[in-house]
Amino acid sequence: MRKALYLECYSGISGDMAVAALLDLGADREVLETALSSLPIGGFEVEISRVKKSGLDGCDFNVILDKNHENHDHDMEYLHGQKQHLMIKRNDKWHHPHRININYNYDDDEQRGPLEIFNIINDAHITDNAKEIAKSIFTIIAKAEAKAHGVEINQVHFHEVGAVDSIVDIIAVAVCIDNLGIKEVIVPQLHEGYGFVRCRHGVIPIPVPAVTYIVADNNLNLHITNTEGEMVTPTGAAIVAAIKTSDKLPEKFTIKKIGIGCGKRSYDRPSFLRAMIIEDKSLEEECIYKLESNIDDSTGEALGFVMDKLFEAGARDVHYIPVYMKKNRPAYQINVICKKEDIEKLEQIIFMETTTIGIRRIKMERSVLNREIKTMQTSLGEVQVKECNLELGKRVYPEYSSVVELCKKHNMSYQDVYHLIRKECEKDNILIKNEI
């Protein structure tokens, strides 16, 4: 397994927490500041500093808005307080102050839809990969907001996520992920609070509707804690949905780097996101069993039949070794590799189908690569491969039966099909075992 980013969301996740954690991991601050300075929007400044949460040193990423774009993102009394708050008068109309990431410009032509936000991203001086990550995050939020409000996605106007601070947070996350060269991201679950929170539409339950739709649509694992308050913001949930590649940590791994991104809300637990660059220990130790027996009075046909039955019953491998037994009689030693739970049924097959009266059983330790059977699309069609994780990358072993099937389908030689698969795998920077 290559190095992966592990996000430990025990205190939830928000956009600013994610940016801060990635900066603390080593994302280039100058690259980020250059990218943000290229955005075709104004009304904000960025402050990056060191702060302490429960005595732990961490990074703080703060988007400072001017008075025309100010919001109540970190106003705990407004978010969770009981007292009523004053209305704001804009353009001769009274409005509730918005909750999180609100743009206080209420002119209709200033409300940003998906197209306007994509134009901002496209005009930014960032890599194509960073642009795709940012667009993916915004698209996920757009779909969730559309479901929450019962409208088509092209009718969504982002009051919350169209605001300056959310645009900055999301593009900053995309730039940092790209800068760190992260390809694999592990997020086992999001820890969320409970209760209610105030927003521009009134008081709504936690998790807020946008978060619930993001979790549902993107197969995220959600854990409700006993903390009263909103710990997972829509932006935070969308970031996870866009970049997560797995929700399972490897059984054994080493930690290469740690980053702590501090949040700004105050709950009964420290508000920070811990991010780690981890590396799977590529070799996995496990036990396997070998069953062996010497047979000098069975035909080749009978032994071939036994091999087929053993494979069908779950044997991991079966092979024969020519041996000489007592009185120099030529014979075969049968070797069966299997799991512990398959021993009894495989031994019964050997006893029933051969003339042996005894089987030796050997417990063996082995080291194996983490592997997974996958289907790859090639120019010849689908092919099954066994993908193994090495320290330097992935290695692919084409499945013999799959290669043979393509040979028959296209009337090509095994060599030609095999090398074509290898060539197309190399385009994806995947190592492939040269077996021929």
Side-chain angles (χ1 to χ4, degrees):
M1 178 181 180
R2 291 176 293 188
K3 292 178 182 178
L5 170 66
Y6 164 39
L7 295 181
E8 187 185 69
C9 302
Y10 290 148
S11 296
I13 183 171
S14 62
D16 59 323
M17 292 165 69
V19 179
L22 295 171
L23 285 169
D24 208 29
L25 274 179
D28 194 309
R29 176 172 173 172
E30 290 186 7
V31 169
L32 176 60
E33 291 175 341
T34 299
L36 296 181
S37 66
S38 74
L39 298 183
I41 55 176
F44 75 95
E45 295 179 2
V46 168
E47 181 181 67
I48 301 172
S49 61
R50 307 299 301 181
V51 298
K52 298 216 181 269
K53 287 279 185 178
S54 295
L56 299 178
D57 178 68
C59 179
D60 179 70
F61 178 78
N62 190 23
V63 180
I64 304 171
L65 303 174
D66 64 23
K67 64 180 181 180
N68 293 324
H69 300 85
E70 186 54 66
N71 61 49
H72 291 270
D73 188 22
H74 313 303
D75 182 351
M76 300 302 293
E77 179 59 30
Y78 172 76
L79 293 174
H80 303 288
Q82 299 299 318
K83 68 181 183 180
Q84 297 295 319
H85 288 258
L86 295 175
M87 306 281 277
I88 293 178
K89 191 174 184 180
R90 298 281 183 182
N91 298 333
D92 296 324
K93 294 182 179 180
W94 290 96
H95 303 270
H96 280 292
H98 294 187
R99 178 179 59 85
I100 174 173
N101 300 334
I102 303 306
N103 187 338
Y104 275 168
N105 191 325
Y106 290 92
D107 295 335
D108 290 342
D109 60 352
E110 291 296 330
Q111 295 180 2
R112 296 185 173 98
L115 180 60
E116 289 79 8
I117 291 178
F118 279 17
N119 286 338
I120 291 172
I121 295 172
N122 288 330
D123 290 341
H125 296 163
I126 60 179
T127 67
D128 289 341
N129 183 48
K131 289 179 181 179
E132 289 305 310
I133 295 171
K135 289 177 183 178
S136 177
I137 296 171
F138 272 110
T139 300
I140 289 168
I141 300 177
K143 291 179 180 178
E145 294 287 352
K147 285 188 175 182
H149 296 291
V151 298
E152 296 295 327
I153 190 170
N154 58 3
Q155 295 177 297
V156 173
H157 287 87
F158 297 101
H159 297 287
E160 282 88 352
V161 298
V164 170
D165 52 346
S166 285
I167 293 174
V168 173
D169 284 346
I170 291 171
I171 292 179
V173 165
V175 170
C176 290
I177 289 287
D178 176 72
N179 180 253
L180 289 169
I182 292 169
K183 302 298 183 184
E184 298 183 30
V185 181
I186 302 170
V187 188
Q189 58 185 350
L190 302 180
H191 285 236
E192 174 65 294
Y194 73 95
F196 294 86
V197 68
R198 196 184 311 276
C199 74
R200 67 186 298 270
H201 302 290
V203 176
I204 57 177
I206 297 169
V208 299
V211 168
T212 60
Y213 283 116
I214 292 171
V215 167
D217 291 344
N218 297 277
N219 197 30
L220 304 183
N221 297 323
L222 188 66
H223 173 71
I224 303 299
T225 70
N226 58 2
T227 295
E228 185 172 4
E230 182 190 32
M231 296 163 59
V232 178
T233 67
T235 298
I239 289 169
V240 172
I243 66 175
K244 180 179 77 76
T245 58
S246 174
D247 57 13
K248 295 190 182 301
L249 283 166
E251 291 185 7
K252 298 178 182 179
F253 61 88
T254 56
I255 300 175
K256 299 300 182 181
K257 215 165 189 181
I258 302 170
I260 294 180
C262 295
K264 301 171 184 63
R265 297 185 185 180
S266 300
Y267 295 120
D268 62 0
R269 64 179 65 192
S271 176
F272 62 77
L273 173 69
R274 185 158 62 174
M276 292 172 254
I277 298 296
I278 65 172
E279 190 172 75
D280 192 1
K281 297 183 71 173
S282 58
L283 294 182
E284 171 192 354
E285 294 181 356
E286 61 178 49
C287 290
I288 202 79
Y289 286 81
K290 181 171 80 167
L291 311 178
E292 67 176 35
S293 181
N294 294 350
I295 304 171
D296 64 355
D297 52 358
S298 288
T299 66
E301 291 88 348
L303 294 177
F305 179 74
V306 174
M307 176 182 285
D308 291 339
K309 291 202 69 172
L310 290 169
F311 275 124
E312 291 172 2
R316 306 298 294 271
D317 193 15
V318 181
H319 64 273
Y320 294 103
I321 301 174
V323 294
Y324 283 93
M325 296 176 59
K326 58 187 176 182
K327 299 180 182 179
N328 286 327
R329 288 183 297 200
Y332 289 97
Q333 182 185 96
I334 181 173
N335 292 270
V336 180
I337 307 299
C338 65
K339 293 183 177 180
K340 183 177 181 179
E341 58 266 28
D342 294 327
I343 290 176
E344 185 176 350
K345 64 179 178 181
L346 296 178
E347 286 185 338
Q348 287 302 313
I349 292 174
I350 296 173
F351 282 129
M352 289 290 294
E353 301 294 344
T354 73
T355 57
T356 188
I357 58 174
I359 301 172
R360 295 180 292 275
R361 183 187 303 176
I362 306 167
K363 181 179 179 180
M364 310 171 72
E365 291 185 353
R366 67 171 184 166
S367 296
V368 297
L369 291 172
N370 293 321
R371 66 275 190 200
E372 182 180 359
I373 299 295
K374 289 188 173 182
T375 299
M376 294 186 63
Q377 187 65 45
T378 72
S379 58
L380 297 177
E382 289 187 347
V383 60
Q384 296 289 322
V385 299
K386 184 180 294 180
E387 184 180 273
C388 299
N389 294 308
L390 296 170
E391 185 174 348
L392 296 178
K394 294 183 183 296
R395 175 173 289 169
V396 170
Y397 300 78
E399 290 292 306
Y400 171 78
S401 59
S402 203
V403 175
V404 169
E405 184 178 342
L406 292 179
C407 290
K408 294 177 179 178
K409 179 179 178 181
H410 297 281
N411 194 26
M412 296 173 63
S413 71
Y414 187 91
Q415 294 269 358
D416 289 341
V417 171
Y418 182 90
H419 286 294
L420 180 61
I421 294 173
R422 177 179 181 178
K423 183 178 180 181
E424 293 185 5
C425 286
E426 287 175 344
K427 289 182 180 179
D428 296 326
N429 296 319
I430 298 175
L431 302 174
I432 187 164
K433 182 182 179 184
N434 190 356
E435 295 180 308
I436 55 176

